[in-house]
Each structure stands twice: as C-alpha cells, then as structure tokens.
Amino acid sequence: MSGEFDLIDWMRRNVPATANERNVRVGIGDDCAVLDLVHPGELLVTTDMLMDGRHFHLLEHDPADVARKALLVNVSDIAAMAGLPLAAVVAAALPRRAMGGPGRLGRELHAALAEVAAEYQIQLVGGDTNAWDGPLVLCVTLLGQTLGRAPVLRSGGRPGDIVLVSGPLGGSILGRHLRPVPRYAEAVVIHQAADDRLHAMIDVSDGLAADLNHILEESGGLGATLNAEAIPVHADAVTLGARDGRPPLEHALHDGEDFELCLAVDPTIADWLVDSVAPAKELYLSRIGTIDAEPGLRLRHADGRVERIEPRGFDHFREPEADR
Ligand code: ADP
Ligand code: MG
C-alpha cells in the first residue's frame, strides 16, 4: 500500500456503516458524493481546518486525536444550531516526511475519523488527499440538517433572556481541548423542550466572554450581566490558575475550546429547563446571567460590585504563537 489511490481505495473500504448510510447514493469514489435528502428541513454546512504548528503539534500530539478533534469540532457547530449531523468530507494535506510515510498517516487519520463518524452516525462520503513538503493540514466539512424546527441562531437573543451554559469552563489547554465532547444530544433535548423559547445558542470555542459577545452582537448590539459565583469553573481552570497565578474565574471566562453550549432562553422557561428538564434528562445546565438592552459585558460579584469585562477571544490574525 503506497500511493494516493491505494490510500483512497483503503479508505473507501473502511467507511463505517451508520444510520445515515441509506441517505448516501454515492459515497467515496466518484467526482461528487450524492446524497438523498430524506427528512424535510434545512441543510446545515460547517467546516473547520486544523494546521500543524497552529492548532496542534504533530511531534507532540497523537494524529488520531487530531483527526477526532477535526470532526468533533464540526459536530459541536452542528450541535450549536440544534441540528443533526449527516455526512462529512475530509481534505488532507499530508506531509511527505511523516513518520512511516504519508500513506500511513492518512490511514491513521481516516481510522480515527471513522471512529467518531460511527459514534455520531456520520457518513464519510468524500474528500481530497494531497501530499507535500509542508506540515499536516486537515480540513473537515460536515453536512447536517435541522430536525423539524428552525435552526437556533446566534442572532435570536433578547433583553431579559437568561444565559445558560452546559458545563464547567476553563483550562481546556491542559488536555481537554484535544478531546472535545460536543453537546449534541443536549442541544437536541433542550431544543425539543424549549422549542422557540430557546432564542440563541453558540458553542464555546473562543471563550465564554467572546462567544457570548458573538450572541450579543448578532442579536442587535445587546449586553449581558453575568453572576461571578454562578459561572461553573472547571477543575482544570483551578489547576491552571494555581500554575500561572491567574484567577480560575478568569480562565473560565476567557479560555477557549471548552465546546460547551452557551444559550439564551426566554425567562419564562429558564428555571424549568435548569431544575426539571436537565435533571430528568441527566444533562448539566446552569444559569449564569441575564441579557440586557444596555450593550457591554458585566460581571456582578457576590458583594454586589459590578465590573466591566472585555471579550478577548483568540484571534488567529492577531496572535502569532503556535499555541492552539
Ligand atoms: P477528484 O480528482 O475527482 O476530486 P480524487 O482522486 O481526489 O477525485 O478522489 C477520489 C475519490 O476519493 C473521491 O470520491 C473523493 O471524494 C474521495 N476521497 C479523496 N480523498 C479522501 C479522503 N481523505 N477522505 C474521504 N474520501 C476521499
Ligand atoms: Mg480531488
């Protein structure tokens, strides 16, 4: 097994069968994949690219982790719309100097992608495979669809909405960032329960403050006040804070890649979602603040003091260090 076509042939024979298989008329092997649109609804399309030296370091990180992450972050984006993932295409630029050769690396990546695909019932239906003297670049595009309800956008937040998060935040850089757990099932359950009173949703990839700010800006320039003691702080944020001297809450507010959901829900259903739906469905939800008409992000401390916080997410154009 050596050339590009051997690899593609091998991948074609190693695609997991999933519940969505029946939607695939033509998978890997032709110029395009052909999918039947079975359920009524809207098509969701998302893509994410991971680059060696930027998002990971092939010398340190397991290629299987990299591949799984490349697909999982896309599942997280579909989850953030409360959609159903269906099919993925994968574009890989394989380094010719990879240990064991590009063919071996390609198979390793594909095997890991196939694992995640099987878990989330995603069909791998195509892609593009190149080899070059540059570093590994892996780009996954995921197609999904809505589930009988309108997709949940960032732009639906309203003053008075309650802000919820689906799990503890901060310190993902200690390792969790490579093994994201997309809150896909949670998003579907919450959407079914809340229906159109789930106003806006985003997955936390840039950091809570930055991603909540995306909701506020897209919703017409709103603001929010968060309760400092209500923000769930991950144990990793505490560990990291002990190391770098920064408060764990700061990590929870600004670290990225938690892949939890941040939601804006109608105030009439917030308590019911948190106190009844979440425990009954065994999912985690906590209320962390309120959306206000007044723009800006504010943090209210236990003693009543209110502090302005700046959303400072990760910006690839501004930050040159290869640290994520
Ligand atoms: P073309 O030149 O027509 O795009 P390719 O030779 O690039 O065809 O690919 C042949 C087939 O293999 C296509 O169906 C393509 O979608 C699939 N394919 C190529 N690379 C991958 C990959 N990394 N993962 C899944 N399918 C792939
Ligand atoms: Mg091609």
Side-chain angles (χ1 to χ4, degrees):
M1 189 170 298
S2 51
E4 175 195 340
F5 298 107
D6 297 323
L7 172 61
I8 291 176
D9 207 42
W10 179 86
M11 291 193 291
R12 187 177 183 176
R13 284 182 278 108
N14 286 277
V15 162
T18 78
N20 289 311
E21 192 176 31
R22 64 200 147 85
N23 307 348
V24 180
R25 208 130 57 77
V26 179
I28 293 175
D30 215 310
D31 296 314
C32 288
V34 183
L35 309 177
D36 286 317
L37 299 176
V38 208
H39 314 286
E42 289 167 290
L43 190 63
L44 305 173
V45 185
T46 181
T47 195
D48 254 295
M49 178 164 63
L50 298 186
M51 301 152 75
D52 188 6
R54 176 84 260 183
H55 306 91
F56 63 90
H57 298 274
L58 205 52
L59 289 172
E60 285 169 41
H61 297 124
D62 184 352
D65 277 341
V66 173
R68 277 191 286 263
K69 177 173 180 178
L71 184 48
L72 287 167
V73 294
N74 282 288
V75 175
S76 182
D77 282 324
I78 297 280
M81 310 293 280
L84 172 76
L86 294 176
V89 290
V90 179
L94 302 170
R96 257 196 286 265
R97 57 176 156 69
M99 233 196 303
R104 175 169 156 192
L105 177 60
R107 287 197 297 284
E108 228 176 311
L109 297 172
H110 180 81
L113 287 165
E115 231 174 75
V116 175
E119 185 181 346
Y120 289 92
Q121 305 295 302
I122 294 162
Q123 285 296 131
L124 294 175
V125 295
D128 196 24
T129 306
N130 294 321
W132 70 331
D133 292 324
L136 173 65
V137 180
L138 188 62
C139 180
V140 175
T141 301
L142 182 58
L143 306 179
Q145 75 152 99
T146 53
L147 282 162
R149 288 186 171 84
V152 184
L153 309 183
R154 296 178 178 185
S155 54
R158 301 176 201 174
D161 278 356
I162 305 298
V163 182
L164 309 179
V165 287
S166 66
L169 305 165
S172 75
I173 194 73
L174 295 184
R176 273 185 302 128
H177 73 112
L178 265 182
R179 287 179 294 279
V181 180
R183 299 300 182 193
Y184 159 66
E186 288 84 347
V188 171
V189 165
I190 296 166
H191 197 205
Q192 274 169 357
D195 203 359
D196 59 4
R197 282 177 291 181
L198 170 52
H199 291 163
M201 185 154 63
I202 192 168
D203 62 325
V204 179
S205 56
D206 295 335
L208 174 64
D211 285 319
L212 174 56
N213 196 54
H214 291 316
I215 288 184
L216 301 174
E217 283 184 346
E218 294 299 318
S219 300
L222 301 175
T225 306
L226 301 179
N227 293 315
E229 80 273 36
I231 295 169
V233 177
H234 198 281
D236 287 343
V238 177
T239 307
L240 194 56
R243 265 186 224 171
D244 65 12
R246 287 171 53 204
L249 180 61
E250 204 176 298
H251 285 291
L253 282 169
H254 299 293
D255 290 359
E257 306 217 283
D258 288 300
F259 298 104
E260 295 296 345
L261 299 169
C262 173
L263 310 85
V265 304
D266 195 281
T268 57
I269 59 160
D271 286 340
W272 172 69
L273 280 179
V274 173
D275 302 328
S276 304
V277 175
K281 300 288 184 182
E282 294 182 344
L283 55 92
Y284 180 105
L285 266 188
S286 65
R287 43 190 303 166
I288 61 168
T290 334
I291 293 189
D292 317 316
E294 187 195 338
L297 264 184
R298 290 161 291 275
L299 187 64
R300 181 182 289 117
H301 293 274
D303 60 7
R305 191 165 45 90
V306 176
E307 166 192 9
R308 177 73 190 247
I309 44 178
E310 294 308 319
R312 42 158 208 265
F314 187 81
D315 185 332
H316 279 285
F317 281 8
R318 278 200 224 123
E319 300 172 55
E321 306 87 55
D323 58 354
R324 301 180 48 174

